[in-house]
Amino acid sequence: MSNARTARYSRRGLLAAGGALGLGALVTACGSEDSKDKDSDAKGAAKSGPWSFKDDRGKTVSLDHVPTKIVAFTGVAAALYDYGIEVKGVFGPTKTKDGKADVQAGDMDVSKLTVFGNRFDQFNVEQYAAFQPEVLITTTFDAAGSLWYVPLASKDKIAKLAPSVALSVFDRQMPKPLQRMAELAASLGADLKAAKVAEAKKRFEAASERLRKAAKSRPEIKVLAGSASDTIFYVSGSDFSIDLEYFKALGVNLVEPPAKAKEANGGWFENLSWENVDKYPADVIMMDDRASTIQPADITEATWKKLPAVKAGQVISRSPEPILSYDKCTPLVENLAKAIESAKKVA
């Protein structure tokens, strides 16, 4: 998440925090088969010849051919999948405890993926080496360009096996990372003019305009972004998160914890005890949808159940690490617009 310097924070706590999109930066750790079931016109023709891409760290990776043995953070692989790009190896939340696809895996068939690590700080370097990757692609949640979900302890070994590409999701609004992911996909062979891709972008733009209008017409509706763990409720600020920064720019009335309250967490979020979960009045609550967090239906705290927004049924999901394709980000914007449009003023 923010610029790092905070090894003292517990990783479990950080990963549970919904406000911190890229919680790994705080600890300085920072395809599917052939997409037969995808719309064929979303696929780009296989490209040949040299390949190069300048990432958001300012580093250019060049190969003598377009890479096909790609290893990517699960959410990145899911985004590329939506563009018809096959990623064969992944790391990061891919499968839940029951073997089903994690929310960050998107539409990929996880049974067909080679998974080098399913949890934070888990990465099988030996398996990765045997895979003979041509490039590793992930995101970065800090100004330093730390590679998300690449463990600090093994990052040097991993770096020697293949060049890396990092797309920044730090302190910028959602459209920019979406654009950059599209550019990366195009470099790998995706056709950005394909009907499915073009239509997905139009839907995102329409959803954004809908949210802008909803926020303008209902400025009194207060929206809180939260995340739940066993002992802590996290309230996110909009300073660095690509979705919250964008929603705020569109006019959404977001709960903003004061800077001093967020200092201990790099400026990303404030920790609240469950006894103080009602500190910030809210009409709509967006809750972290990641598997590492407790989902609203499973929260048993009495103080949570007494919240006006909870009692009114005005709780929606939020993806603090959104899959960066227009297809996957559109519903996030639409859901918030709908929630604001229909919300009762309860706070």
Side-chain angles (χ1 to χ4, degrees):
M1 269 182 102
S2 91
N3 308 335
R5 314 189 290 273
T6 46
R8 67 182 181 277
Y9 300 121
S10 93
R11 294 191 175 190
R12 180 181 178 187
L14 292 174
L15 288 171
L21 283 177
L23 301 168
L26 284 176
V27 288
T28 63
C30 356
S32 66
E33 35 147 22
D34 53 32
S35 305
K36 291 180 180 178
D37 58 338
K38 301 292 281 184
D39 187 342
S40 60
D41 72 355
K43 297 180 181 179
K47 297 181 68 175
S48 58
W51 176 81
S52 69
F53 186 82
K54 185 176 182 179
D55 75 1
D56 291 340
R57 298 170 299 176
K59 297 183 178 182
T60 299
V61 175
S62 299
L63 300 174
D64 60 7
H65 63 282
V66 177
T68 56
K69 298 199 74 175
I70 301 169
V71 173
F73 173 68
T74 303
V76 170
L80 292 174
Y81 180 88
D82 287 344
Y83 285 103
I85 302 301
E86 179 181 10
V87 173
K88 299 176 181 179
V90 299
F91 57 97
T94 306
K95 299 178 181 179
T96 57
K97 292 180 180 179
D98 58 6
K100 295 181 180 180
D102 187 277
V103 65
Q104 295 191 61
D107 295 332
M108 295 189 296
D109 183 347
V110 297
S111 69
K112 293 182 169 62
L113 297 171
T114 299
V115 183
F116 301 105
N118 198 60
R119 301 189 309 272
F120 192 73
D121 249 5
Q122 180 188 75
F123 198 113
N124 190 321
V125 180
E126 291 73 22
Q127 183 186 23
Y128 179 67
F131 185 82
Q132 296 183 322
E134 295 175 310
V135 66
L136 179 149
I137 308 174
T138 187
T139 51
T140 181
F141 284 88
D142 62 21
S146 303
L147 299 179
W148 184 226
Y149 262 77
V150 173
L152 182 63
S154 54
K155 68 180 182 66
D156 292 338
K157 293 180 180 178
I158 292 169
K160 293 178 181 178
L161 297 171
S164 63
V165 167
L167 297 184
S168 178
V169 284
F170 172 69
D171 196 16
R172 58 194 60 196
Q173 295 176 25
M174 187 181 282
K176 181 61 176 179
L178 280 170
Q179 176 189 337
R180 292 291 287 144
M181 184 64 74
E183 292 170 357
L184 174 61
S187 78
L188 294 169
D191 180 6
L192 300 188
K193 295 181 180 180
K196 186 170 184 176
V197 174
E199 289 167 7
K201 186 175 182 180
K202 287 182 180 179
R203 289 198 308 272
F204 176 80
E205 292 169 347
S208 297
E209 184 57 28
R210 178 183 175 182
L211 180 55
R212 187 193 304 276
K213 291 179 178 178
K216 185 176 181 179
S217 65
R218 302 295 307 280
E220 76 280 9
I221 299 301
K222 197 75 173 177
V223 179
L224 181 148
S227 182
S229 71
D230 290 335
T231 59
I232 298 173
F233 183 80
Y234 304 88
V235 179
S236 302
S238 65
D239 293 339
F240 305 126
S241 302
I242 62 170
D243 61 333
L244 300 184
E245 281 200 13
Y246 187 48
F247 298 157
K248 185 176 182 179
L250 291 175
V252 175
N253 185 5
L254 290 169
V255 168
E256 290 284 358
K260 189 171 182 61
K262 297 181 292 182
E263 280 180 4
N265 300 302
W268 288 83
F269 56 94
E270 178 181 2
N271 297 354
L272 295 179
S273 66
W274 282 104
E275 289 77 13
N276 295 315
V277 73
D278 60 352
K279 179 177 180 179
Y280 298 106
D283 302 292
V284 174
I285 300 176
M286 296 189 294
M287 289 296 289
D288 189 340
D289 67 355
R290 292 175 294 182
S292 58
T293 68
I294 301 175
Q295 297 305 299
D298 299 319
I299 298 175
T300 59
E301 301 290 340
T303 49
W304 163 261
K305 294 181 179 181
K306 291 179 181 178
L307 293 176
V310 175
K311 293 171 70 174
Q314 295 175 176
V315 178
I316 63 173
S317 65
R318 175 195 171 213
S319 298
E321 294 180 60
I323 294 171
L324 294 173
S325 71
Y326 294 104
D327 182 68
K328 293 297 182 293
C329 285
T330 296
L332 307 180
V333 182
E334 289 177 336
N335 289 346
L336 180 55
K338 181 179 179 181
I340 293 173
E341 290 166 350
S342 61
K344 297 177 182 178
K345 182 62 184 173
V346 296

